[in-house]
Amino acid sequence: MTSWLWGAGIALIHVLGILSAIMALMSSRTSQGAVAWIISLLTFPYVALPAYWCFGRPRFYGYVSARGERDSVLRRVLARYRANMMPYCVVSPSADTHAVEQLAMMPLTEGNQAELLVDGDVTFKSLFLGIDNAQSYILLQFFIVRDDALGRKLQRRLLEAASRGVRVYFLYDELGSRKLNEGYLRDLQEEGIEVSAFRSSRGFKHRFQLNFRNHRKVAVMDGKEGWVGGFNVGVEYLGEHPRHGPWRDTHLKLTGPSVMGLQEAFWEDWHWATGEVINLNWQPETKPSTNHHVIVVPSGPADRLDTASLLVQNMIHSAQKRLWVTSPYFVPDQGVQDALRLAAMRGVDVRVMIPERPDHLLVFLSAFSFLPDMLRAGVKIYRYLPGFLHQKVILVDNEAASVGTVNLDNRSFRLNFEITAFIPSPDFAANVRVMLEKDFSHCRRVSLDEIQQRPLWKKVVSRAAYLTSPIQ
C-alpha cells in the first residue's frame, strides 16, 4: 500500500510537471523563458514544479480578472473621471507621444507642474509638507517601509493627519516591507488609518504568486498633489547606511490633472488588496503658473502588453540627438538592448549611468555579459562613484524625460507593478539635462578593455548570472 501511494505521488508530480510545461509553452512572454521552464518541468519536476508556481507565471491573472469585471463600480467611476479629464487633454504632438498614451491607457494632459526632487532631504521635506497640508485624504504607497528614524517621522505625520480628521490609506508590499513590524502597523490602525499589504498571494488560487511585487512609490494628497519616483522609506535613502554610503535618487512632485493618473493607479491597487472602492476627489485642477504636459504610465504583470519595456523602447527609438538613461539595475531584455545599440549606431549620444557599488550581486554580474556588445556599438557606459545610484530617469533629446520606478531589468519590465511619469515638455527636459550633467561629472566611463580583460572565471560567472535574469 505504501509503495502504491509512493508511486502514485511520483506519477502525479510528473503529470503536474507536464501540465505546467504546457502552461509555460502557451503563456511565457519570452521564448528563452519558455524553453527553460519546459526543460526543467519535464526533467526535474520535483524542484521545478514549486519554483514555477512561485516564480514562473508571467501574468497576474487575479488582478486581470478584478480589473476586467464588466459591471464593477470601478469602471463606472472611472468613466465619470475620464469625462472630467476631457478639458485638460491635449492632442499628442507626435506619433511617439501618442504611442505612450496607448501604452498607458491614460491621456496626455496639460496644465501640470512637474517639480524635480533631487535626493532624500528635498524629497521627504516636500512629501512631509504635503502630508501636513492635506485636508481630506492621503494615499500613500511604498515598496519598502522601515521602522527606523525616517519611518517613524512618516508615521508621526500620518497619525497627526488622522487626528485632524484626514482619511489616510497606507499600502505596502508585503515582501518588500517584510521587516516592518506589526507594532508599527498597529499604531497606525488604532488611530483609524486604513492599512493594507498589497497581497499578491491573496486567495487560494494565488497563494504561490510570490514573484509579482508592487514596486510603486506613490503619494496623493486630496487629489491635488502627487509624488512618484525612486524613494522608499528608510534611512538608507537619506544616505545614512554605512554600506551604501551617499544615496543618489530622484523623485517627482506633480500638481495638476496628471495627479488623477497617480490616484487611479493607487485606487486600483487598493481595490485589489482590500476589495474596497474608496471615495476620492475626481475633479482635476490645473496649475496655471506652468504648463507641463504629462502622461502617467502604470505598468505591471496584469497588462496585455509588456508596457514598461515598450515604453523604454519607444523613448529610445524617438531619440535623435541624445538619450541618457540612469538605472540601478541594468539587465534589459533583448529588445531594449538592440534599441540602445541601434540608437548609438544612428549617431545618438547614448549614455547609460549605473552604480559603481553593487546592491544585488546577480544583477551586477549579469551586466558584464552583454556590456561588450553595447560598448562596441557606441553606447557609453558610466559608473556613478560617490555612493549608490538608485534613480530611474530617462532623457530624450531636449524634448522629453521620464521619472518613475522602472528599473531596466526583467523584473521591472514584466513582474513588478511599476509607474512612470512621462513628460514631453522641453523646459522640464532641460532641468533633467542639468541634473544629469552634474551626475555624469561624478562618474567614470567604462572602457571595452576593462570588460574584456576580466579573468575567464569572472566571465563565466557573469554569463551564468545573466541566464537567471528572467527571475532576478
Side-chain angles (χ1 to χ4, degrees):
M1 185 66 177
T2 302
S3 61
W4 181 87
L5 289 174
W6 182 256
I10 292 175
L12 177 61
I13 289 173
H14 280 276
V15 169
L16 291 174
I18 293 171
L19 293 175
S20 297
I22 294 172
M23 183 180 295
L25 173 66
M26 300 304 293
S27 63
S28 292
R29 294 192 178 190
T30 65
S31 57
Q32 298 95 324
V35 170
W37 281 118
I38 290 169
I39 292 174
S40 300
L41 288 163
L42 294 181
T43 56
F44 306 106
Y46 312 102
V47 176
L49 195 61
Y52 178 75
W53 284 98
C54 288
F55 304 112
R57 286 180 286 180
R59 298 192 71 195
F60 195 161
Y61 292 105
Y63 199 110
V64 172
S65 300
R67 173 183 283 176
E69 292 173 359
R70 183 178 301 172
D71 299 321
S72 70
V73 176
L74 266 67
R75 299 305 104 194
R76 296 195 294 271
V77 174
L78 285 178
R80 295 197 299 271
Y81 141 61
R82 291 294 175 86
N84 293 341
M85 292 287 287
M86 291 303 296
Y88 310 102
C89 297
V90 293
V91 177
S92 297
S94 68
D96 295 318
T97 302
H98 181 62
V100 176
E101 285 190 281
Q102 291 183 293
L103 285 171
M105 294 188 292
M106 288 192 181
L108 176 69
T109 61
E110 63 180 355
N112 301 288
Q113 177 174 313
E115 178 186 353
L116 275 176
L117 302 173
V118 179
D119 290 335
D121 289 338
V122 174
T123 296
F124 286 103
K125 180 179 179 180
S126 174
L127 178 59
F128 289 166
L129 181 61
I131 293 173
D132 293 343
N133 291 335
Q135 298 178 356
S136 179
Y137 60 83
I138 296 170
L139 313 178
L140 206 63
Q141 174 179 13
F142 286 100
F143 178 62
I144 296 172
V145 180
R146 302 198 190 281
D147 184 9
D148 58 15
L150 182 61
R152 287 188 288 275
K153 286 181 181 179
L154 173 65
Q155 182 192 56
R156 184 168 63 253
R157 279 174 163 80
L158 295 179
L159 293 173
E160 291 171 354
S163 69
R164 62 178 190 267
V166 177
R167 291 181 291 140
V168 181
Y169 300 89
F170 182 87
L171 184 64
Y172 64 95
D173 185 88
E174 61 265 53
L175 187 60
S177 299
R178 62 189 179 278
K179 295 181 181 179
L180 186 61
N181 62 65
E182 289 296 324
Y184 185 99
L185 301 173
R186 187 171 56 251
D187 290 345
L188 295 174
Q189 292 171 314
E190 288 177 350
E191 296 301 319
I193 293 174
E194 298 289 335
V195 176
S196 178
F198 179 63
R199 300 175 64 203
S200 63
S201 56
R202 186 188 76 184
F204 180 80
K205 291 192 300 181
H206 314 298
R207 67 189 184 279
F208 298 120
Q209 291 184 156
L210 304 179
N211 215 25
F212 298 132
R213 310 309 333 155
N214 198 314
H215 193 242
R216 293 170 179 166
K217 297 95 173 170
V218 171
V220 175
M221 312 300 162
D222 301 331
K224 299 177 181 180
E225 296 180 325
W227 287 258
V228 65
F231 280 98
N232 290 296
V233 181
V235 294
E236 66 267 35
Y237 295 89
L238 298 176
E240 297 177 7
H241 192 286
R243 182 166 69 91
H244 296 302
W247 191 278
R248 177 67 189 92
D249 218 330
T250 299
H251 225 69
L252 187 69
K253 179 185 177 182
L254 291 176
T255 312
S258 60
V259 175
M260 296 290 100
L262 299 180
Q263 181 164 281
E264 180 181 325
F266 179 96
W267 194 56
E268 278 201 330
D269 287 348
W270 186 266
H271 176 68
W272 163 258
T274 67
E276 299 172 358
V277 179
I278 53 180
N279 184 32
L280 302 174
N281 166 36
W282 294 104
Q283 184 57 56
E285 295 186 8
T286 60
K287 188 71 176 177
S289 62
T290 58
N291 189 23
H292 291 145
H293 291 180
V294 180
I295 306 174
V296 173
V297 189
S299 57
D303 296 353
R304 182 174 55 88
L305 301 172
D306 292 334
T307 302
S309 177
L310 291 174
L311 171 65
V312 173
Q313 290 182 58
N314 183 67
M315 296 180 72
I316 297 170
H317 289 307
S318 68
Q320 300 299 315
K321 297 179 180 179
R322 175 187 294 118
L323 181 85
W324 294 354
V325 179
T326 73
S327 177
Y329 313 120
F330 184 63
V331 193
D333 59 26
Q334 195 63 50
V336 171
Q337 290 184 38
D338 292 342
L340 288 169
R341 288 197 293 266
L342 186 59
M345 292 175 184
R346 288 192 283 112
V348 177
D349 176 19
V350 180
R351 304 185 191 182
V352 178
M353 188 190 310
I354 54 180
E356 173 77 0
R357 306 178 188 181
D359 181 30
H360 293 288
L361 186 59
L362 278 179
V363 177
F364 178 79
L365 292 172
S366 297
F368 288 99
S369 65
F370 59 83
L371 284 184
D373 290 338
M374 290 278 182
L375 293 166
R376 291 188 190 99
V379 176
K380 305 178 185 78
I381 307 296
Y382 293 82
R383 290 200 176 275
Y384 185 75
L385 297 174
F388 187 68
L389 177 82
H390 192 253
Q391 62 175 328
K392 305 96 164 52
V393 176
I394 300 177
L395 173 66
V396 179
D397 297 331
N398 297 315
E399 302 300 323
S402 69
V403 178
T405 69
V406 175
N407 299 309
L408 266 68
D409 62 6
N410 183 70
R411 174 160 292 283
S412 275
F413 286 168
R414 296 183 175 85
L415 300 175
N416 286 346
F417 288 88
E418 307 279 6
I419 192 162
T420 302
F422 174 75
I423 305 168
S425 292
D427 57 339
F428 180 79
N431 292 335
V432 172
R433 179 177 58 79
V434 171
M435 177 185 74
L436 294 183
E437 284 176 341
K438 183 177 180 180
D439 290 335
F440 279 117
S441 72
H442 297 297
C443 292
R444 68 173 183 87
R445 187 170 169 182
V446 178
S447 69
L448 181 59
D449 286 344
E450 173 188 339
I451 304 297
Q452 291 180 324
Q453 291 173 5
R454 302 173 77 236
L456 177 61
W457 70 269
K458 285 189 176 181
K459 295 178 181 179
V460 172
V461 170
S462 295
R463 190 62 188 173
Y466 181 61
L467 294 178
T468 70
S469 61
I471 61 170
Q472 284 177 10

